Amino acid sequence: DAISSRTPVLSFEIKKGEKKNNYFVSLPAMPLNGVIEGFDDRVKVRLAEYLKPTRAPISAGPNQGMDIEYLHVVSRVIPLPPWFGEAMDYKFDWTPSKEAGGAVLIFERQDTSMVGFAEIKL
């Protein structure tokens, strides 16, 4: 079946490649239905790096002086080459920043929304 707005979001597994900071995701063949007017025929791929959990003091209000914990704060988004729906090992490189807690690989169609995701936890 072709990807549509009713296609469930897929969860992929990221595996380590042969070299340091090299990763890949085994993607199945997924018909994309070609070009739809005003949109393109590809799945956009982005890697969103997030920070390790951080704590910060609350500076005002009834909870002043207490700490708040921030989880999964995105520190940068890295655009990667598109995927055209063919079965393949999608390979990419990622060198995490010192503060990185991990990253999420996002596969998204402009006309149907999110297709799938995968996560690297450090």
Side-chain angles (χ1 to χ4, degrees):
D1 290 337
I3 295 175
S4 75
S5 59
R6 291 180 290 235
T7 302
V9 177
L10 302 171
S11 175
F12 300 114
E13 179 184 354
I14 297 179
K15 299 176 183 169
K16 285 285 292 168
E18 295 176 11
K19 299 177 182 174
K20 182 179 181 182
N21 298 325
N22 181 255
Y23 302 88
F24 71 94
V25 176
S26 295
L27 299 173
M30 295 186 76
L32 300 179
N33 265 357
V35 177
I36 298 173
E37 188 176 334
F39 300 100
D40 56 32
D41 63 346
R42 68 202 72 222
V43 172
K44 292 183 168 114
V45 184
R46 295 181 193 106
L47 186 72
E49 179 183 278
Y50 59 84
L51 300 175
K52 296 173 187 170
T54 58
R55 298 184 78 76
I58 298 171
S59 59
N63 293 321
Q64 183 175 359
M66 296 179 71
D67 281 352
I68 186 167
E69 185 173 31
Y70 294 100
L71 305 172
H72 299 104
V73 175
V74 174
S75 58
R76 62 182 173 149
V77 177
I78 303 164
L80 296 173
W83 172 49
F84 293 92
E86 71 277 20
M88 66 180 294
D89 281 344
Y90 185 91
K91 298 177 182 177
F92 64 97
D93 293 326
W94 173 54
T95 303
S97 65
K98 290 180 184 178
E99 301 83 22
V104 177
L105 190 62
I106 303 164
F107 295 85
E108 183 176 34
R109 276 290 303 260
Q110 182 176 344
D111 55 340
T112 59
S113 191
M114 192 183 323
V115 173
F117 71 95
E119 184 176 11
I120 302 169
K121 294 182 181 181
L122 298 179

